[in-house]
Amino acid sequence: MGRLWRPLLLGAVVVAATFALAQMVVFEPSAPPAATLAGGDVYRGQVAFERACASCHGSGGEGGSVGPPLVDTGLDAAEVAATIEQGRGVMPPALVSGEEQADAVAYVVSISSR
Ligand code: HEC
């Protein structure tokens, strides 16, 4: 009879230890990596992107009817900034500028290297 309790006791110890560890580790919503990139803010950039770019490039840059997908393209910040400033094909130049441009660049770079 005594032996039967051993696995249960062991289980209880494991559960207790797990809870103890969970208490020790501070679970904070950690800032996702690369929240700032190339001097811009990825999250503000996402907002700007959804407003100024998603109509052509699709939500999240997944590609739309007019614009090509920007996800997984490996574009770097300089290329994205140049495209925004100069426009490309039917894409008008300077849809965003200043800090908003930096933010949009950061966002596009973040999705292009996904
Ligand atoms: C009116 C539609 C339209 C809008 C709005 C638009 N784009 Fe574009 N974009 C395009 C098209 C079309 C291309 C491809 C042009 C070509 O290569 O002929 C393009 C190309 C690009 C490229 C180059 C992609 C590559 O693979 O080289 C980037 C980067 C880009 N757009 C970013 C943006 C960003 C950032 C915004 C918002 C600030 C934006 N675009 C808004 C239509 C648009």
Side-chain angles (χ1 to χ4, degrees), residues 2-112:
R3 281 169 175 267
L4 282 175
W5 287 102
R6 280 189 193 169
L8 284 177
L9 189 64
L10 188 67
V13 167
V14 168
V15 167
T18 305
F19 275 103
L21 275 174
Q23 296 283 313
M24 280 163 56
V25 179
V26 182
F27 286 113
E28 283 176 353
S30 55
T36 55
L37 208 64
D41 182 282
V42 171
Y43 298 102
R44 286 200 308 261
Q46 181 171 20
V47 173
F49 186 91
E50 293 299 321
R51 193 193 72 242
C53 322
S55 54
C56 291
H57 289 284
S59 182
E62 303 277 352
S65 49
V66 182
L70 300 176
V71 170
D72 227 2
T73 48
L75 293 163
D76 68 29
E79 293 167 319
V80 176
T83 306
I84 292 175
E85 282 163 19
Q86 292 151 26
R88 177 98 67 91
V90 298
M91 177 177 157
L95 285 166
V96 289
S97 58
E99 200 177 319
E100 207 175 32
Q101 175 183 322
D103 295 342
V105 167
Y107 175 67
V108 172
V109 169
S110 78
I111 61 170
S112 77

